[in-house]
Amino acid sequence: MRNEHASLDHTLEVITRAAVDLIPGVEHAGITLVTRGTHFQSRAATSALPRRIDELQHRLQDGPCVQSIRVKETVRVDDMAHEARWPKFAPKAAELGARSMLAFRLYTTEDTLGALNLHSSHVEAFDATSISVGATLATHAAIAVIAAQREEQFRAALASRDVIGQAKGMLMERFGVDADRAFGLLCKLSQDRNEPLHEIALKLVEVDRPPRR
């Protein structure tokens, strides 16, 4: 079975490598995904610097990437050492070697947001062309994330349907009822126990499976 996470990581790595190769001024690139509002995932970094910047922003809950995601805008920093918007973050980021930075918000889903982050060790490294090409790559990154999430949801839905079908078959055989009646029994169990239908079905199937030797 194809590994969806590996496929997504490969796609994002192609995008960040392209950012370094194609965008004027870029020395390092990475993608930050934020799930459940606060959990940062540093993905496809071309060096250690983007991961360190992500860790710093995660710890402080502030910085260009955080602002880009929250305010839904592209954020440019021309000289991190003299940046006043993030007084705690900026001096530390400059010490790490990020003197210029571009952050593009990724338009993904309600549960997962993100940004394409570009870095340079030089001040005023990015121009209008950097912003234009970066925005295009950010769009490709967002499409890749959305596609991977939808495929994962689709596979989960297929697996859930298969388990429910197995549980229905077990109930039909065990109690001599038809498919509608078996499904009704599953729904009643789900309501009585206040558990999702697919979890009830999975428990029934797992109980009925013989132990592996």
Side-chain angles (χ1 to χ4, degrees), residues 160-213:
S160 176
R161 187 179 67 176
D162 183 56
V163 169
I164 291 172
Q166 291 180 54
K168 280 172 55 180
M170 288 166 46
L171 293 176
M172 290 169 65
E173 181 179 358
R174 187 170 301 170
F175 298 109
V177 297
D178 60 19
D180 289 341
R181 178 59 178 161
F183 185 71
L185 290 172
L186 286 174
C187 290
K188 188 174 187 308
L189 280 172
S190 174
Q191 293 171 355
D192 291 345
R193 299 184 183 182
N194 194 28
E195 294 182 42
L197 183 63
H198 71 275
E199 290 184 9
I200 292 292
L202 183 60
K203 288 178 180 178
L204 288 173
V205 171
E206 288 181 340
V207 167
D208 195 62
R209 285 173 180 161
R212 293 182 178 179
R213 296 183 179 180

Side-chain angles (χ1 to χ4, degrees), residues 20-45:
V20 173
D21 292 339
L22 301 176
I23 301 176
V26 176
E27 295 175 347
H28 315 272
I31 289 172
T32 306
L33 297 182
V34 183
T35 58
R36 297 182 180 89
T38 58
H39 182 64
F40 275 52
Q41 296 179 25
S42 189
R43 307 287 285 271

Side-chain angles (χ1 to χ4, degrees), residues 93-126:
E95 290 176 5
L96 290 173
R99 293 299 299 272
S100 294
M101 185 171 173
L102 268 177
F104 298 90
R105 203 254 201 185
L106 303 185
Y107 292 86
T108 52
T109 67
E110 292 182 0
D111 294 331
T112 303
L113 303 174
L116 170 64
N117 302 306
L118 312 177
H119 307 273
S120 173
S121 61
H122 303 285
V123 300
E124 299 181 353
F126 305 123

